Structures are given as C-alpha cells and as structure tokens.
C-alpha cells in the first residue's frame, strides 16, 4: 500500500524544517532511542557521528521517494536484510519509530501537526512492514 499524495506532501513539507537542525538531528534521535531502549545501543558503531550521518542520508532518501515507496521496495528489502544480519529483531522497530517521531517533534522549529504526524507514522509503518517482510526476515523466522 502506498501513501496518499497528501501524506507524501505533508512529509516532504515537514522535512524541510529539518534542514536548519540537520547537524544535530541524528544525535537527538540516537539520544532519544538509547534513552527509551538502551538495549539497542550495542547495535550501533562507536562512531555515532558517522552513524548519525548515515541515518540522516537514509531518511532523506526515503523522503525523496516517499510518493513511490513501492518502487524502492528492493532497497528497503536490502536494508531489512542488513538489519537482520546485525541481529535486529522485529520488536526493535517500535522504539525506533517512537524515537523518530519524537525527534521530528523536538528538532523542528514547529512540532508536527496531527496530519503530519499521522503521515510520518504511516510512512514509517510501511517501511517497517516492508523491512520485516523482506527476504532477510523470512530467512530469520522461516
């Protein structure tokens, strides 16, 4: 299932508010993630500046393709398979989504509107579901 054009527009518009805080976005995200799920810290490299940059780049790529997530399915599958190799379990995705939405609300000049929040939550769910349903997770659970 794809996002609606309205949801894609809301995500893209709200993403523009990240630009002024892009340099700290990853730090804030990981700070929140490790606060709500400290058990996830070992999954990440010691160079958190590098990790933060990769996270922001990945998020920017997903935002760029937000209106055609179905066409980047293979890339999302690959990302899911990589996470499986790192030892990521399905239950780890919940805290990541919570930390993402919290960080968007916290870092932006204005918090997400209810419609923006709903669009981001839905987009995260679509990517999350695709990552969990990809070949990497099928091998792990099958």
């Amino acid at each position: 299932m794809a996002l609606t054009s309205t949801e894609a527009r809301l995500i893209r518009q709200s993403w523009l508010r990240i630009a002024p805080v892009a340099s700290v976005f990853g730090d804030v995200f990981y700070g929140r993630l490790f606060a709500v799920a400290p058990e996830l810290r070992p999954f990440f490299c010691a160079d958190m500046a590098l990790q933060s940059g990769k996270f922001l780049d990945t998020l920017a790529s997903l935002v760029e393709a937000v209106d055609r997530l179905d066409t980047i399915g293979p890339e999302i599958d690959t990302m899911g398979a990589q996470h499986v190799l790192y030892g990521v379990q399905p239950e780890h995705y919940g805290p990541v989504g919570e930390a993402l939405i919290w960080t968007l609300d916290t870092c932006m000049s204005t918090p997400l509107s209810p419609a923006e929040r709903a669009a981001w939550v839905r987009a995260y769910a679509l990517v999350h579901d695709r990552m969990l349903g990809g070949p990497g997770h099928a091998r792990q659970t099958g």
Side-chain angles (χ1 to χ4, degrees), residues 1-15:
M1 180 178 253
L3 294 172
T4 67
S5 59
T6 298
E7 289 169 325
R9 180 181 49 77
L10 288 168
I11 288 170
R12 282 203 175 107
Q13 285 176 346
S14 62
W15 181 249

Side-chain angles (χ1 to χ4, degrees), residues 27-141:
D27 293 337
V28 174
F29 168 78
Y30 286 109
R32 177 63 178 188
L33 179 62
F34 300 150
V36 299
E39 68 276 11
L40 298 183
R41 179 63 183 98
F43 288 103
F44 297 93
C45 65
D47 185 349
M48 289 309 295
L50 177 63
Q51 182 65 42
S52 293
K54 286 181 182 180
F55 173 70
L56 198 61
D57 288 347
T58 299
L59 202 51
S61 294
L62 289 169
V63 168
E64 182 180 319
V66 74
D67 57 346
R68 52 186 172 79
L69 289 177
D70 53 333
T71 66
I72 63 165
E75 290 90 344
I76 296 171
D77 291 344
T78 298
M79 198 167 43
Q82 289 171 337
H83 282 77
V84 168
L85 293 175
Y86 301 144
V88 174
Q89 299 294 312
E91 62 270 16
H92 296 148
Y93 287 87
V96 171
E98 185 277 329
L100 173 62
I101 300 303
W102 183 90
T103 305
L104 289 165
D105 268 337
T106 301
C107 285
M108 290 182 172
S109 55
T110 57
L112 295 171
S113 70
E116 289 171 334
R117 175 186 294 274
W120 276 98
V121 167
R122 187 149 181 274
Y124 180 77
L126 290 172
V127 171
H128 155 268
D129 289 350
R130 177 74 190 230
M131 287 176 71
L132 285 174
H137 277 279
R139 281 192 305 275
Q140 178 187 26
T141 59

